[in-house]
Each structure stands twice: as structure tokens, then as C-alpha cells.
Amino acid sequence: MRIILVGAPGAGKGTQAESIKSKYPIAHISTGDILRANVKAGTELGKNAKGYMDAGKLVPDEVIIAMVESRLQEPDCKEGFLLDGFPRTTPQAEALDLLLEKLGISLDAVVELNVDDEVVVQRLTTRRGCKFCGEIYNTLFKPTKVDGVCDKCGGEVIQRDDDKESVIRNRLSVFHEQTAPLIAYYSKKGLLLTVDATGGKDAVLKLLEQRSCSCK
Ligand code: AMP
């Protein structure tokens, strides 16, 4: 199965990806996670990307395209992959088309997670994550037992720099301007499925199972 998850920041792409992965043994490729790992490790890529990420802007297309191009050729992608957070611009989508053609493979579906902007702002300003193990918390719906301390590993629980409200509003306008046009792009190709992002953590998995598409 080869699918793309498209949705505003905070639509729940990561959560849906975890649920899909529990059923299908495919590689989960989150460009945001790859970039954050590079920032943490202090690589050249991370140093270049950090400024864009902290400001809620997109990292330049050529950087992201090269990163995904090499990732998609790793062995764990043979069984399929789930792209989370890529493509985010029309040039990225066009580059992906060319790459897939070169690799002789095609997409099974592009799933749009539909969510209201104000829901996103509430979800993200209250989101927290463990610096050490990555466990996700929410100050309203899933608080840590001890303030700022991870229940799972005792690590420090913090707010992502790009989860501050001004940055979130910026990320949302970037989404509407640059990423939303991909909905029409993939709809024209007959690949688009739309899911209500408030429909629970297994909403996308259920839809894929219902279709029991060529998604094997
Ligand atoms: P995410 O975790 O997917 O919300 O991504 C966090 C940040 O990483 C974004 O706000 C961008 O700065 C950057 N980023 C992730 N994926 C992409 C992409 N496909 N194109 C450009 N920038 C990206």
C-alpha cells in the first residue's frame, strides 16, 4: 500500500499514521519527524531547516524533495509507504510523480484529513511532547501526572517551538495557500479520499479497510 496523508497541521496525520501502521507493515515517512531528528542531531540539514520550522514556514522544496527521494529508496519502503507531511506544495507533488514513475510504482490513495482551523489552534496550543521518548500529551485531554514530566520515561515534557499560537496561525495560512491546492491535484487523478479529522484515531484505517482497495 502506498498512501499520502494530507491535512492541516494538527489535523492528526501522525495519530492516523500510527493506527494505519498497526495494521499494515509499511514505512511511515514523516518529513516533519525527519527534519526534527536532524535539528536534534545538529546536522547541516537540521541547521538549515530550523529557522523555517520555528517560523512556521516551509523548508525549500529542493531540500525536501532530495530528502524524500533518498528515503523512498530505502529497503523498508518495498512493502509500501505512508507519506505524512509530504508533498506540501505543487512542485513537491510533481517531483513525487516523476520519482514514482522512475521507480515504476504508483499511489493507491491520497487521504485528506478535513478539519476546522479553530480546532487546530486549540489542539496544537495545548499539545506537549516528551523531549526524550516523543510521547504526546495534551494539557486539556491527556495531561501528564506530574507537570512537565513524562509518565512513560520521566523525560522533560515541552511545547514545540512551532506550536505557539502565532506560529500555528502562520502554518495554517501556509497550508491554505500552498498545500490545499493539492486536494484538487489529487482529486483530478481520482486518488482523493476525504475523512473528517474529528472522526477518531482509526478513521482513516477504517476507510481503507472498507474500501479494501488495492491497498494490500
Ligand atoms: P510537521 O511536523 O509535518 O507539521 O512539520 C513541521 C515543519 O517541518 C513544517 O512546519 C515545515 O517547516 C517543515 N516541513 C515538514 N514537511 C515539509 C514539507 N513537505 N515541505 C516543506 N517543509 C516541511
Side-chain angles (χ1 to χ4, degrees):
M1 172 164 75
R2 299 180 204 96
I3 62 171
I4 295 176
L5 284 179
V6 183
K13 298 187 292 293
T15 306
Q16 299 295 332
E18 285 307 315
S19 142
I20 295 166
K21 260 179 12 185
S22 69
K23 186 76 195 266
Y24 298 98
I26 55 174
H28 172 200
I29 303 172
S30 157
T31 43
D33 285 351
I34 300 174
L35 291 169
R36 277 185 291 279
N38 275 275
V39 171
K40 204 171 163 188
T43 65
E44 264 323 290
L45 170 62
K47 283 181 200 152
N48 287 335
K50 190 172 182 334
Y52 295 101
M53 296 170 77
D54 288 350
K57 292 185 183 157
L58 293 184
V59 174
D61 284 335
E62 58 276 16
V63 175
I64 297 287
I65 290 166
M67 195 175 92
V68 172
E69 186 158 354
S70 86
R71 181 66 186 88
L72 281 180
Q73 295 180 67
E74 286 178 25
D76 64 333
C77 294
K78 286 252 158 18
E79 293 299 314
F81 53 78
L82 187 165
L83 285 168
D84 158 3
F86 177 91
R88 258 175 154 104
T89 64
T90 303
Q92 290 181 16
E94 289 167 351
L96 178 65
D97 282 348
L98 286 178
L99 176 63
L100 295 178
E101 202 182 311
K102 199 170 91 185
L103 298 174
I105 53 182
S106 56
L107 295 169
D108 294 300
V110 175
V111 183
E112 175 201 7
L113 280 174
N114 198 9
V115 67
D116 189 78
D117 281 6
E118 292 314 309
V119 173
V120 165
V121 172
Q122 197 208 38
R123 272 188 189 176
L124 293 189
T125 49
T126 53
R127 176 165 76 173
R128 300 290 182 272
C130 175
K131 232 171 141 177
F132 187 70
C133 72
E135 182 72 6
I136 298 294
Y137 295 93
N138 184 289
T139 56
L140 296 178
F141 310 115
K142 190 190 166 194
T144 51
K145 291 195 184 99
V146 178
D147 198 26
V149 180
C150 180
D151 294 351
K152 256 175 104 177
C153 75
E156 188 188 357
V157 171
I158 54 159
Q159 182 177 39
R160 265 168 55 173
D161 287 336
D162 59 353
D163 277 349
K164 309 262 157 67
E165 183 166 346
S166 59
V167 181
I168 293 166
R169 299 244 176 235
N170 204 14
R171 289 165 71 199
L172 280 168
S173 59
V174 168
F175 172 78
H176 290 298
E177 276 163 32
Q178 302 199 52
T179 309
L182 297 184
I183 309 295
Y185 182 92
Y186 287 116
S187 174
K188 276 192 206 129
K189 289 178 183 278
L191 287 168
L192 192 73
L193 302 173
T194 299
V195 172
D196 177 356
T198 57
K201 68 177 180 46
D202 297 321
V204 176
L205 177 64
K206 282 187 196 142
L207 179 78
L208 293 174
E209 284 177 344
Q210 262 167 28
R211 282 175 41 112
S212 63
C213 44
S214 47
C215 302
K216 294 247 164 59

